[in-house]
Amino acid sequence: MTTTDSPAPTAGPVPAPPAASGMRRRVGELGALRAQVHAGPGEKATGAQHARGKLTARERIDLLLDPGTFQEVERFRRHRATGFGLEANRPYTDGVITGWGEVEGRTVFVYAHDFRMFGGALGEAHAAKIHKIMDMALAAGAPLVSLNDGAGARIQEGVSALAGYGGIFRRNTRASGVIPQISVMLGPCAGGAAYSPALTDFVFMVRGTSQMFITGPDVVRAVTGEEVTLSGLGGADVHAETSGVCHFAYDDEESCLVEVRYLLGLLPANNRERPPRAETGDPAGRRSPRLLDLVPAEGSRPYDMREVIAELADDEEVLEVHERWAPNILCVLIRLAGEVVGVVANQPLSLAGVLDIKASEKAARFVQMCDTFNIPLVTLVDVPGFLPGVGQEHDGIIRHGAKLLYAYCDATVPRITVILRKAYGGAYIVMNSQSIGADLTFAWPTNEIAVMGAEGAANVIFRRQIAEAEDPDETRARLVKEYRAELMHPYYAAERGLVDDVIDPAATRETLAAALTVLRTKTAEAAPRKHGNPPL
């Protein structure tokens, strides 16, 4: 049987690829549009932003949030305003990027002004996007971070833009005390726009590029004749040192946003949670013998309270709030045995640690913030009293000092006080004394708790006796010594139950850690009320 090869098949026409489906084509268009939105107004505008020493809004968000976690909201929104050429300029996002992401795995909401569009100015659509993300943050019970770089209200949209600010202020106030709100100033913030950061919990600024003011240099010059630059009027250093508006100031955006991330790691998501705990590897029972030499026994000799706080903190890591404003009092966030703690402390290196108007306001706001977000308070006392002077009295030291008193009395978090040396007069009472509700009060053997210093007390009590003495100086010295021995010895307050224990300074960290553990489950019932009426 013979076989023959089968004929090779003849090649027919190659079938055309199927036409792209409608869905695939639409998805392709979506991808292209998303890329366009992400690119923003173009390389020229981006170059101009970089030339100012500033990052773009998306670059800032990338630095703030964990990589790949940002979820944008309303990226395709555009304004609907007309007139003054607006109808021909309708960029996507309308100059603000909004959404949420994660910082160290925890949800954070964010909005960032895009200065490349309308100079970051706020219009109706722009404001509506911010309102939405603020509402979402409050509903989700998660922190809100605003990256501010805007030129104020969009003048072309008139009162509609101003109304947008009203909505932001109302939401700032509603969220106050519920979720952490952090304002990061990365460019100009002028006029009414400056009130939103002022309503938030923390304000960060960058030197050289960020300014905040209600009226700019031109208006100041026209009204008062004063000549001032943008930075001289409302720059980072001005607000960090003089006005107290700024809590943290940095030299560049990168380091600023790194510190924002660090602060978020110390705060709870909302007022119903505790701050996140972190294992630091620093033993709670670690002794600090350095404290025995760091703090002089003589009450008139200064020392740096920052070093004391660092000794008590886990791994000596501290985050000082308002470091350069009212330096006579320190407000610091630390971890102690892994738990976040707020520390309020007098600073003997500045004005001998006295309380004045600015120090009272600074500490009062810090105490309120800690109480709001369930952060226990440790108060380190070395205070000679309130700052005397006509200026202080006329500017309202009574009213402002009462702010700190009110804040402590109103706080329900664990409150522990350590008296290192001086605790004189009304300042002793205000600095979280046991009589205003401190849960536990400890003292070092160098403590002096009294109405006033021994010299002043002797001059008042024994004024006539000293005046009639043959040797007034010798008599005064003797009576001062007697007064100190009788009423100011280290155990006088402890004998009367005003101090719970006199402790070895080297054991302060261990003592605080044990006390905070016991007080961790503290509960406090407040009297029913709409809200208090604190002094202004």
Side-chain angles (χ1 to χ4, degrees):
M1 181 176 181
T2 61
T3 61
T4 59
D5 293 330
S6 301
T10 58
V14 178
S21 68
M23 179 63 75
R24 291 182 183 276
R25 178 172 51 79
R26 297 287 179 92
V27 169
E29 292 171 353
L30 171 62
L33 187 56
R34 280 175 174 260
Q36 176 187 334
V37 173
H38 193 276
E43 294 183 4
K44 182 178 179 180
T46 299
Q49 179 78 347
H50 289 163
R52 298 184 187 98
K54 301 194 296 183
L55 301 175
T56 67
R58 294 190 186 278
E59 289 170 340
R60 291 162 175 166
I61 291 173
D62 288 343
L63 284 174
L64 174 67
L65 300 177
D66 296 344
T69 64
F70 182 56
Q71 300 291 318
E72 189 168 352
V73 175
E74 293 193 341
R75 77 181 75 211
F76 298 125
R77 186 144 192 173
R78 300 195 290 179
H79 73 76
R80 297 174 292 181
T82 58
F84 306 101
L86 285 177
E87 61 274 11
N89 185 14
R90 300 179 61 230
Y92 291 109
T93 75
D94 200 49
V96 64
I97 299 168
T98 59
W100 71 89
E102 295 180 356
V103 173
E104 301 297 336
R106 302 166 67 221
T107 299
V108 172
F109 287 79
V110 60
Y111 68 85
H113 298 135
D114 193 337
F115 193 81
R116 300 173 301 169
M117 304 178 193
F118 304 111
L122 179 139
E124 186 177 18
H126 183 122
K129 290 183 63 175
I130 295 175
H131 296 169
K132 179 181 179 67
I133 212 65
M134 295 179 78
D135 290 340
M136 289 184 67
L138 186 59
L144 174 70
V145 177
S146 62
L147 305 179
N148 297 269
D149 186 7
R154 198 174 297 169
I155 299 173
Q156 300 95 320
E157 294 194 30
V159 294
S160 296
L162 291 179
Y165 277 122
I168 293 174
F169 302 156
R170 180 163 56 88
R171 287 167 172 83
N172 283 139
T173 303
R174 193 170 64 186
S176 179
V178 182
I179 58 173
Q181 298 181 84
I182 299 174
S183 297
V184 188
M185 316 311 297
L186 301 168
C189 185
Y195 284 116
S196 177
L199 289 169
T200 61
D201 299 300
F202 298 98
V203 175
F204 288 72
M205 294 187 73
V206 175
R207 295 183 184 91
T209 57
S210 60
Q211 305 93 30
M212 296 174 65
F213 41 74
I214 299 300
T215 54
D218 292 342
V219 176
V220 170
R221 185 184 308 111
V223 175
T224 70
E226 297 172 289
E227 293 287 343
V228 65
T229 64
L230 288 170
S231 293
L233 181 63
D237 289 328
V238 168
H239 287 309
E241 296 178 9
T242 305
S243 72
V245 171
C246 169
H247 298 81
F248 306 96
Y250 297 94
D251 291 329
D252 56 78
E253 295 189 19
E254 292 83 356
S255 58
C256 178
L257 292 169
V258 165
E259 290 301 299
V260 174
R261 286 176 58 89
Y262 184 76
L263 174 60
L264 285 166
L266 297 174
L267 300 174
N270 54 65
N271 64 347
R272 299 180 300 279
E273 298 181 5
R274 288 178 174 155
R277 193 178 190 284
E279 295 296 338
T280 63
D282 195 347
R286 169 175 59 80
R287 289 177 62 81
S288 303
R290 181 167 175 259
L291 293 176
L292 300 173
D293 301 313
L294 185 60
V295 180
E298 300 83 0
S300 60
R301 290 180 56 192
Y303 61 94
D304 191 350
M305 185 67 84
R306 288 189 178 93
E307 296 187 46
V308 175
I309 298 171
E311 276 291 318
L312 300 177
D314 289 354
D315 301 320
E316 298 190 3
E317 289 190 5
V318 302
L319 180 63
E320 185 173 347
V321 179
H322 269 145
E323 179 179 355
R324 296 159 62 194
W325 185 61
N328 43 318
I329 200 159
L330 306 179
C331 298
V332 184
L333 290 171
I334 67 171
R335 288 191 184 277
L336 203 162
E339 301 288 350
V340 179
V341 176
V343 179
V344 179
N346 307 108
Q347 172 58 296
L349 283 184
S350 179
L351 296 176
V354 299
L355 288 178
D356 61 0
I357 289 173
K358 290 183 178 179
S360 299
E361 290 184 327
K362 170 181 171 177
R365 183 74 192 278
F366 183 76
V367 168
Q368 290 171 340
M369 184 279 299
C370 289
D371 187 51
T372 291
F373 295 119
N374 306 310
I375 300 173
L377 285 160
V378 169
T379 305
L380 304 179
V381 181
D382 191 350
V383 61
F386 281 94
L387 181 65
V390 174
Q392 287 286 305
E393 297 294 345
H394 286 187
D395 289 340
I397 184 62
I398 296 173
R399 175 167 51 89
H400 294 287
K403 294 177 182 179
L404 180 54
L405 182 63
Y406 187 100
Y408 268 125
C409 290
D410 202 41
T412 60
V413 293
R415 293 159 48 192
I416 304 171
T417 296
V418 181
I419 302 169
L420 281 63
R421 298 194 309 186
K422 301 180 295 297
Y424 294 164
Y428 153 63
I429 299 298
V430 169
M431 289 292 292
N432 197 40
S433 64
Q434 193 151 294
S435 60
I436 66 168
D439 296 295
L440 287 168
T441 304
F442 301 103
W444 287 6
T446 46
N447 79 83
E448 293 182 358
I449 306 174
V451 175
M452 62 178 68
E455 289 78 7
N459 287 336
V460 173
I461 298 172
F462 307 114
R463 180 176 61 253
R464 181 176 299 177
Q465 189 174 343
I466 292 172
E468 295 173 352
E470 293 183 5
D471 187 345
D473 291 339
E474 187 278 331
T475 300
R476 181 184 293 106
R478 175 174 54 81
L479 292 173
V480 166
K481 184 177 180 180
E482 290 178 3
Y483 181 88
R484 181 176 283 113
E486 181 68 23
L487 296 177
M488 295 179 63
H489 64 79
Y491 307 99
Y492 183 84
E495 291 171 359
R496 285 152 181 79
L498 299 175
V499 167
D500 293 295
D501 197 8
V502 180
I503 63 173
D504 176 357
T508 303
R509 174 180 162 88
E510 178 183 7
T511 301
L512 290 173
L516 288 167
T517 299
V518 168
L519 293 171
R520 183 172 173 79
T521 55
K522 172 187 174 181
T523 57
E525 294 295 329
R529 61 180 177 181
K530 187 175 182 180
H531 56 74
N533 187 23
L536 295 176

